[in-house]
Amino acid sequence: MNRLLDLAKGLRDDKQSLLTVVLIGVLALSIWAFVAIAAEMSEGELQQFDRDVFLSLREAGAPDRLLGPAWLEEAAVEITALGGFPVIGLLIVMVTGGLLAARLPGTALFVVLSISSGAALSTTLKLLFGRARPDLVPHLDVIHTASFPSGHATISTLTYLTLAALVARVVVRKRVRAYIVGCAVGLAVLIGISRIYLGVHWPSDVLAGWSLGTAWAALSFLVLSILQIRRQRDTARERARRERPHQ
């Protein structure tokens, strides 16, 4: 018991180690959620759930008519564009350029590798699962790929969480950090819901996309955290070696 208390105290005092533990927990939970959703989807267990949620956003007996005022459909189209490759690609170019201008090439490389690899993974999984898009209603957005997992949900979650976490790392106040991350989560949620509302994704596609994007963001920051811990330890050893009196 005392060892567990000592370990907990050590993690509390070492913020970097605590962050690593949290990232491992988020990664494990997100992977479990994605695998569970994918398994249920492949076995056809989510068909009724998907259909019920999908149709709940449309008028009863007239699935081609969306619930809500007319402007809501236009708003959904504009929101869903925030998770599309053109907007995300432009955002990454601008962020990378800013990081390079600030002489942070390592951080710029991290952003590019994290998001591009996540996009490649999402595309590969779409090809593997090959799930058809919803056919209950006409699609209100242009689509070219398979349905599972939702690419918009995956990439928007990964991108906005990654960028929010990077900004939060340099913010001192906890409330501000929580607000920044909360905004990223909220934006990813809105983008995912817009995909269902526009009739281009089943709810399980979006749930899987959120899980996959969160997992990949956690994995990326876990790798970064481990590299930083190793660098700090190497720096500490080098400093100790230099300060050691010559024999």
Side-chain angles (χ1 to χ4, degrees):
M1 185 65 179
N2 290 334
R3 291 183 178 180
L4 292 176
L5 292 175
D6 291 340
L7 176 59
K9 184 177 183 300
L11 290 176
R12 183 188 63 190
D13 296 337
D14 188 348
K15 294 183 179 180
Q16 194 68 38
S17 297
L18 178 59
L19 175 62
T20 301
V21 173
V22 172
L23 288 173
I24 292 175
V26 172
L27 174 61
L29 182 60
S30 300
I31 291 177
W32 172 84
F34 177 81
V35 171
I37 295 169
E40 292 293 307
M41 184 277 297
S42 299
E43 296 173 359
E45 298 295 330
L46 296 177
Q47 289 183 0
Q48 191 61 46
F49 165 80
D50 280 334
R51 185 181 179 87
D52 290 344
V53 175
F54 189 91
L55 294 178
S56 69
L57 300 177
R58 300 170 180 276
E59 292 188 9
D64 58 326
R65 299 177 61 180
L66 292 166
L67 290 177
W71 59 262
L72 190 57
E73 178 183 332
E74 182 179 352
V77 172
E78 294 176 353
I79 289 174
T80 206
L82 297 176
F85 283 104
V87 173
I88 294 296
L90 182 60
L91 177 62
I92 297 309
V93 169
M94 292 189 295
V95 170
T96 302
L99 290 172
L100 291 176
R103 296 183 179 181
L104 296 171
T107 305
L109 180 62
F110 165 75
V111 170
V112 172
L113 290 180
S114 174
I115 297 175
S116 61
S117 60
L121 176 61
S122 175
T123 301
T124 301
L125 290 173
K126 281 178 175 290
L127 294 174
L128 290 175
F129 286 102
R131 189 185 196 185
R133 296 276 181 165
D135 56 0
L136 299 180
V137 296
H139 300 153
L140 299 179
D141 191 24
V142 179
I143 52 175
H144 304 286
T145 59
S147 192
F148 186 93
S150 166
H152 277 65
T154 301
I155 302 306
S156 63
T157 301
L158 168 59
T159 300
Y160 294 120
L161 277 182
T162 298
L163 297 182
L166 285 175
V167 174
R169 289 167 68 90
V170 298
V171 174
V172 177
R173 292 194 173 186
K174 293 182 179 180
R175 289 184 179 180
V176 179
R177 292 202 299 265
Y179 174 78
I180 293 171
V181 175
C183 286
V185 172
L187 184 55
V189 169
L190 286 176
I191 291 171
I193 293 175
S194 74
R195 303 305 286 168
I196 306 171
Y197 190 73
L198 295 174
V200 294
H201 273 297
W202 298 109
S204 57
D205 299 335
V206 172
L207 290 174
W210 286 334
S211 299
L212 182 62
T214 302
W216 204 252
L219 177 61
S220 300
F221 271 95
L222 179 60
V223 172
L224 181 64
S225 178
I226 292 174
L227 291 176
Q228 288 180 335
I229 290 175
R230 291 185 60 182
R231 184 183 305 168
Q232 292 172 358
R233 290 176 177 175
D234 291 342
T235 301
R237 291 194 192 99
E238 181 64 20
R239 185 183 299 114
R241 186 186 64 82
R242 292 180 178 179
E243 294 176 353
R244 186 181 306 159
H246 294 288
Q247 299 293 332

